[in-house]
């Protein structure tokens, strides 16, 4: 001031180096904004780590905390302008950015600093200042020391109640805003979507157990006319692909963008979840390559004697049941047949579910897997809809009793056969052979746990689907007498030609039965929906829309199969639509076993077992409907299951 005759100019202020250090130190201890924020606008892998910050995530930079961290600013409580002096520097310049940094930093830095300095120069040159409070400042909203008088305590109590109410209101507001944010995902991304219900998303009817997951998704299909429509599976934004051609492209030609299912899978914590259906990426590819040779038609032909032995037991049991004409649940009968087949070829031992509905294998698997409880609902929702739920609750994907039961059977079977050099013509043997071929190569060798997890998957994937195919076919035949006469005649003629013998080759002769099974799989697909996770950003062909990596896509198989655009008169059961000569459907919209590299690995077996069951039943017995044609589906399961089963009047055929 003296040098410049008391004049304060822009240039004079630049001379005040120590004042500048003071302002810097003040901005460290008391940054104007204690936190900085950014929104991630493009998926970002954190350098030198596997963590990916997803697009849309809010990122917080705790400026005050960093500025008061002694790692970057030694003795941080000490007000020491000298730490910013070049000669006595004592801070980490890369951790100091009181005005933010980069293109989005404070636009008014210079003005802010200048105003502050002018204020300080004027005040300090003319006045003295003495402290009346301690150096450590208590900020607005911080805790104050306990009051001593009773009136102060009463006031404090009032403050606490108020604080509690405010906190509750704040939590409610944060939850409300959080949910609003989650459920605005598709609006924010400019995608047409179906209005969700907070907090169920578009699955309120599933939460209320009024509809199964599959039926609910297919009903959502009816509520839009767009090619793709955004929905929320509880909290998870997902896209329903309403265009069957695009769906096929996603599964086949553009598979590299959609090679995973995005369902729960945790190899280390829950090895049973790491099965072929759930595994992602390369781990899925390796396992699929190992297992594919075990599902060839050659292997199936080898297993024919086992299928037929179980089939004879089914025929004998129904013979016994119809000594007195009565109504029987055909679905339950078929289910027991299919489970005996699965026990024999996958688990490697003979169960007796056909003759004994209380067989321990049947009871354990069906009761434990289907047991309805809150915990099991959390498990199913976690596996299919919200994998984070299982991570959060640390629940396993299956009830521990089921895991123990399956592991014990498979461990016993594998160890017994390996130790005693016993071989059997079944699928388990093929897994044992694979283990032997891998020798001591730990990378290649399937562990017993992996074998058990996949055997159990084959039970889950094969039992309901094959049962449904056989029993829904019988249901439709009872309502379509012309079709029944035609398919029966074909079966009778084939058996006559072959002296009553059913072989792999004979079954191939049954062209009309094949059309019937195809039509059943259209009206009642084994899985009413298919799903994929987008594994690489994908531009939807002939549009500007991008499906972002991580998005769950759903293909509403049942709704497509029942859409008259692709299958005229869809309610009509018409096997002839699949006949080459009278073809009446769009082949690009028909994929009951999925499509592309991730399609059903067991399709041949599923169809073969269903056909064997049908041939054995139709050749010997009459079936009469007791239910109307239109089926009411169970609300609880993912596959289509008729509510109350499929009761039919069964009697012995008189030829
Ligand atoms: C008629 C009976 C069956 C039907 C309708 C059926 C249907 C399906 C469908 C729709 C898929 C999903 C495909 C996709 O996402 O593209 C699938 C996958 C699968 N199915 Fe089947 N299935 C049947 C029988 C079986 C049988 C008997 C087995 C095993 C023995 C089996 C094992 C599997 C497995 C392991 C997968 C997952 C494949 C992978 O991700 O690599 N299925 N099935």
């Amino acid at each position: 001031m003296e040098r410049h005759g008391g004049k304060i100019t822009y240039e004079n202020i630049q001379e005040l180096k120590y004042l500048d250090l003071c302002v810097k130190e003040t901005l460290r201890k008391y940054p104007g904004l204690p936190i900085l924020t950014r929104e991630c606008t493009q998926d970002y892998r954190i350098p030198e780590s596997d963590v990916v910050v997803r697009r849309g995530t809010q990122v917080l930079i705790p400026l005050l905390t960093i500025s008061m961290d002694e790692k970057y600013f030694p003795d941080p409580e000490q007000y020491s302008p000298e730490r910013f002096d070049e000669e006595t520097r004592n801070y980490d310049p890369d951790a100091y950015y009181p005005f933010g940094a980069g293109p989005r930093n404070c636009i008014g830095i210079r003005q802010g600093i200048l105003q502050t300095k002018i204020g300080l120069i004027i005040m300090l040159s003319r006045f003295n200042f003495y402290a009346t409070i301690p150096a450590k400042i208590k900020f607005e909203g911080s805790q104050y020391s306990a009051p001593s008088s009773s009136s102060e305590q009463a006031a404090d109590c009032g403050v606490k109640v108020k604080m509690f109410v405010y906190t509750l209101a704040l939590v409610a507001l944060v939850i409300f805003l959080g949910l609003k944010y989650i459920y605005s995902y598709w609006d924010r991304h400019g995608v047409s979507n179906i209005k969700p219900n907070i907090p169920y998303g578009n699955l309120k009817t599933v939460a209320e157990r009024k509809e199964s997951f599959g039926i609910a998704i297919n009903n959502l299909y009816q509520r839009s006319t767009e090619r793709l429509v955004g929905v929320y599976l509880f909290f998870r934004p997902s896209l329903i692909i309403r265009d069957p051609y695009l769906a096929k492209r996603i599964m086949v030609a553009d598979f590299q963008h959609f090679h995973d299912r995005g369902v729960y899978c945790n190899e280390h914590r829950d090895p049973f979840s790491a099965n072929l259906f759930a595994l992602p990426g390369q781990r899925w590819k390796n396992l699929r390559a190992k297992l594919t040779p075990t599902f060839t038609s050659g292997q199936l032909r080898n297993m024919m004697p086992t299928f037929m032995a179980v089939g004879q037991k089914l025929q004998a049991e129904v013979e016994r049941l119809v000594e007195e004409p009565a109504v029987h649940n055909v679905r339950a009968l078929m289910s027991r047949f299919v489970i005996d087949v699965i026990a024999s070829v996958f688990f490697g031992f003979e169960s007796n579910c056909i003759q004994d509905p209380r067989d321990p294998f049947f009871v354990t698997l069906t009761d434990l897997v289907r047991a309805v409880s809150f915990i099991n609902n959390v498990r199913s929702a976690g596996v299919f809809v919200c994998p984070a739920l299982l991570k959060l609750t640390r629940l396993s994907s299956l009830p521990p009793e089921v895991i123990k039961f399956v592991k014990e059977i498979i461990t016993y079977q594998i160890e017994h056969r390996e130790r005693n050099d016993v071989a059997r013509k079944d699928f388990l043997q093929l897994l044992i052979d694979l283990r032997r071929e891998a020798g001591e190569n730990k990378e290649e060798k399937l562990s017993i746990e992996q074998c058990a997890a996949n055997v159990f998957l084959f039970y889950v994937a094969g039992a309901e689907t094959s049962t449904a195919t056989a029993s829904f076919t019988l249901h439709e035949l009872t309502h379509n007498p012309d079709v029944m006469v035609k398919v029966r005649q074909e079966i009778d003629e084939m058996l006559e030609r072959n002296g009553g013998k059913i072989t792999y080759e004979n079954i191939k002769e049954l062209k009309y039965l094949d059309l019937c099974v195809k039509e059943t799989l259209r009206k009642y697909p084994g899985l009413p929906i298919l799903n994929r996770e987008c594994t690489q950003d994908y531009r939807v062909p002939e549009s500007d829309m991008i499906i972002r990596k991580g998005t769950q896509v759903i293909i509403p198989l049942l709704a497509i199969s029942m859409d008259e655009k692709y299958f005229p008169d869809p309610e009509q059961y018409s096997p002839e639509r699949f006949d080459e000569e009278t073809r009446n459907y769009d082949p690009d919209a028909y994929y009951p076993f999925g499509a592309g590299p991730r399609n059903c690995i067991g399709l041949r077996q599923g169809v073969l077992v269903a056909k064997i069951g049908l041939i054995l039943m139709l050749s010997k017995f009459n079936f009469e409907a007791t239910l109307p044609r239109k089926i009411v589906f169970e609300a609880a399961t993912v596959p289509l299951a008729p509510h109350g089963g499929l009761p039919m009047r069964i009697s012995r055929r008189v030829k």
Side-chain angles (χ1 to χ4, degrees), residues 251 261 276-279 284 288 295 342 346 427 454 457-459 461-467 469 517 521 524-527 529-532 557 591-607 609-610:
M251 292 187 287
R261 288 214 167 81
L276 188 65
F277 188 84
L279 274 172
W284 162 78
R288 177 101 184 191
F295 280 96
I342 286 176
F346 288 118
F427 181 85
N454 285 291
L457 166 69
F458 299 144
Y459 157 74
E464 288 277 332
T465 47
S466 311
T467 299
T469 308
V517 168
L521 286 169
Y524 311 95
L527 284 181
I529 53 163
L530 307 174
N531 69 326
R532 295 287 187 272
L557 196 54
Y591 26 76
F593 296 101
R598 196 118 205 196
N599 74 345
C600 173
I601 198 172
L603 63 97
R604 283 196 203 87
Q605 177 173 336
V607 169
V609 170

Side-chain angles (χ1 to χ4, degrees), residues 165-291:
V165 172
Y166 287 157
T167 309
L168 266 189
L170 191 69
V171 169
L173 183 71
V174 167
I175 292 177
F176 175 74
L177 291 177
L179 288 172
K180 273 251 177 268
Y181 184 76
I182 290 172
Y183 291 127
S184 64
Y185 181 88
W186 290 122
D187 287 333
R188 280 185 280 121
H189 289 77
V191 174
S192 152
N193 59 89
I194 299 175
K195 197 172 175 299
N197 283 302
I198 297 176
Y200 306 105
N202 298 98
L203 296 181
K204 187 161 188 251
T205 52
V206 177
E208 292 172 345
R209 302 181 71 78
K210 289 186 183 155
E211 276 177 340
S212 71
F213 181 52
I215 296 285
I217 293 289
N218 286 289
N219 287 342
L220 291 172
Y221 173 95
Q222 317 295 345
R223 291 177 51 191
S224 170
T225 50
E226 303 284 336
R227 261 177 108 194
L228 298 102
V229 60
V231 295
Y232 299 89
L233 306 182
F234 294 108
F235 301 115
R236 193 177 190 183
S238 307
L239 269 179
I240 296 186
I241 312 291
R242 291 190 70 268
D243 171 351
Y245 313 122
L246 174 62
K248 193 166 180 185
R249 195 160 167 174
I250 281 176
M251 292 187 287
V252 185
D254 298 329
F255 178 73
Q256 76 273 21
H257 292 261
F258 296 93
H259 50 68
D260 294 346
R261 288 214 167 81
V263 296
Y264 176 75
C265 177
N266 188 331
E267 222 161 334
H268 302 295
R269 204 178 67 72
D270 183 359
F272 254 63
S273 68
N275 56 41
L276 188 65
F277 188 84
L279 274 172
Q282 192 60 37
R283 285 179 293 152
W284 162 78
K285 209 169 164 194
N286 294 346
L287 186 62
R288 177 101 184 191
K290 271 189 211 150
L291 294 179

Side-chain angles (χ1 to χ4, degrees), residues 295-552:
F295 280 96
T296 59
S297 37
Q299 304 292 6
L300 272 188
R301 206 179 270 117
N302 288 340
M303 290 179 204
M304 269 307 280
T306 313
F307 298 151
M308 287 313 297
V310 180
Q312 305 306 338
K313 279 206 263 176
L314 172 70
Q315 236 178 10
E317 175 64 7
V318 181
E319 286 275 5
R320 189 187 67 77
L321 288 176
V322 300
E323 271 167 17
E324 307 271 310
V327 171
H328 297 281
N329 182 353
V330 164
R331 186 181 161 87
L333 274 175
M334 281 300 172
S335 165
R336 281 151 54 192
F337 161 62
V338 171
I339 292 180
D340 270 349
V341 167
I342 286 176
S344 193
V345 298
F346 288 118
F347 286 80
F349 76 100
E350 273 182 41
S351 59
N352 193 19
C353 310
I354 292 177
Q355 282 136 343
D356 180 7
R358 283 151 45 141
D359 181 278
F361 184 69
F362 185 74
V363 172
T364 311
L365 286 190
T366 50
D367 283 8
L368 282 181
V369 176
R370 290 185 200 155
V372 178
S373 70
F374 174 72
I375 296 285
N376 280 355
N377 288 346
V378 175
R379 290 184 208 282
S380 316
V383 171
F384 292 106
V385 182
C386 185
L389 206 59
L390 292 184
K391 262 191 218 152
L392 214 69
T393 55
R394 303 191 68 76
L395 276 174
S396 55
S397 53
L398 286 169
E401 310 88 279
V402 174
I403 296 179
K404 183 167 175 283
F405 179 76
V406 175
K407 226 156 77 178
E408 272 174 13
I409 299 181
I410 299 301
T411 306
Y412 171 78
Q413 289 294 336
I414 293 183
E415 286 181 353
H416 170 73
R417 290 193 201 180
E418 284 182 344
R419 225 179 281 133
N420 303 307
D421 225 358
V422 177
R424 201 168 171 262
K425 279 199 170 146
D426 60 18
F427 181 85
L428 192 62
Q429 190 61 46
L430 299 173
L431 291 184
I432 293 171
D433 294 346
L434 278 180
R435 276 168 58 79
R436 190 178 343 94
E437 282 156 26
E440 291 312 305
N441 184 343
K442 280 210 170 118
E443 283 283 294
E444 277 295 302
K445 192 166 182 165
L446 286 172
S447 67
I448 291 191
E449 193 134 39
Q450 275 179 308
C451 291
N454 285 291
V455 162
F456 184 72
L457 166 69
F458 299 144
Y459 157 74
V460 175
E464 288 277 332
T465 47
S466 311
T467 299
T469 308
S471 52
F472 283 131
T473 303
L474 281 174
H475 169 74
E476 285 290 346
L477 294 183
T478 57
H479 285 278
N480 293 276
D482 298 353
V483 180
M484 173 75 99
V485 167
K486 224 167 144 181
V487 72
R488 239 189 194 159
Q489 193 179 341
E490 184 187 57
I491 292 172
D492 288 349
E493 285 170 9
M494 180 279 278
L495 289 174
E496 236 176 76
R497 269 198 311 279
N498 298 292
K501 257 191 129 182
I502 303 173
T503 63
Y504 187 80
E505 285 68 28
N506 300 347
I507 295 173
K508 289 240 163 307
E509 292 169 20
L510 301 171
K511 302 288 178 223
Y512 194 68
L513 177 66
D514 193 58
L515 301 183
C516 291
V517 168
K518 284 201 167 90
E519 178 68 337
T520 301
L521 286 169
R522 175 189 70 80
K523 272 196 88 173
Y524 311 95
L527 284 181
I529 53 163
L530 307 174
N531 69 326
R532 295 287 187 272
E533 184 178 75
C534 177
T535 44
Q536 199 180 316
D537 281 4
Y538 177 69
R539 180 179 294 281
V540 175
E542 295 123 46
S543 96
D544 282 342
M545 183 176 169
I546 307 272
I547 302 182
R548 296 271 163 221
K549 183 171 177 218
T551 307
Q552 176 73 202

